[in-house]
Amino acid sequence: MDRTVGSRGRGHASTSAGTRNNNNNNTTAAPSGARSRNKMVAAEEEPGSSSHPAVVFGNMVREMAEKRAVVIFTKSTCCISHSIKVLFVDMGVNVEEHELDKHMLGPELEWALKSMGCTPPVPAVFIAGKLVGSATHVFTLQVSGRLRKMLLDANALWV
């Protein structure tokens, strides 16, 4: 389930990006065990082709990340994900959270985040559609004071 969390910490369910097609006849396993559920991939496709899983799910992550000023990919059981979310909420930022363990394409999106260089893949923070990184990067930016400037530049904070 995807959730939008406001500055007061209350969340509400929103529609998830992507649809599920339960007909798995023409699916191919993506690297690291992720499976395409949307008949998007044929076994012989090249990694650079537009329908290869790395491209398809990478594009899906980028589209989801561009919908709000701050987007966080998390897991509901991850305490570090919770800490990152609380950091932004306490700053007054309205974040969009995608809980990968509750999302129907969670494993594929997690795989795409790893492919984009986000290690560990959760929490993954995007500001203004750009990958900031995981918790270590976000906390480093916060301590240095650069996170606030990034949020102001993305119109995610009101002065």
Side-chain angles (χ1 to χ4, degrees):
M1 177 188 302
D2 301 335
R3 294 167 37 116
T4 302
V5 181
S7 60
R8 300 217 190 279
R10 292 184 215 122
H12 66 277
S14 66
T15 60
S16 62
T19 58
R20 183 174 187 166
N21 182 346
N22 289 326
N23 184 354
N24 287 331
N25 294 339
N26 279 336
T27 60
T28 300
S32 77
R35 290 185 52 86
S36 171
R37 294 184 181 114
N38 293 346
K39 291 199 225 178
M40 295 180 205
V41 182
E44 64 278 351
E45 292 189 31
E46 295 295 318
S49 73
S50 63
S51 59
H52 187 271
V55 175
V56 171
F57 295 114
N59 288 340
M60 187 179 294
V61 167
R62 280 186 279 285
E63 288 173 12
M64 294 166 79
E66 292 172 352
K67 289 188 177 182
R68 293 254 181 162
V70 179
V71 176
I72 306 172
F73 292 87
T74 65
K75 286 191 176 177
S76 62
T77 57
C78 176
C79 61
I80 301 300
S81 292
H82 178 74
S83 298
I84 290 292
K85 182 172 61 175
V86 168
L87 170 70
F88 285 109
V89 170
D90 285 351
M91 293 176 77
V93 176
N94 187 16
V95 301
E96 181 164 309
E97 177 186 18
H98 297 282
E99 293 179 324
L100 297 182
D101 55 338
K102 295 181 179 179
H103 195 285
M104 73 175 102
L105 295 174
E108 290 86 353
L109 297 175
E110 185 174 347
W111 175 74
L113 288 166
K114 286 180 190 176
S115 297
M116 296 170 105
C118 192
T119 54
V122 292
V125 176
F126 288 79
I127 298 176
K130 296 178 185 166
L131 177 63
V132 173
S134 59
T136 304
H137 297 106
V138 173
F139 288 133
T140 301
L141 290 169
Q142 171 65 2
V143 169
S144 71
R146 295 187 317 221
L147 181 62
R148 182 171 175 76
K149 182 179 179 345
M150 288 177 76
L151 293 170
L152 286 169
D153 290 346
N155 292 320
L157 278 180
W158 297 80
V159 182

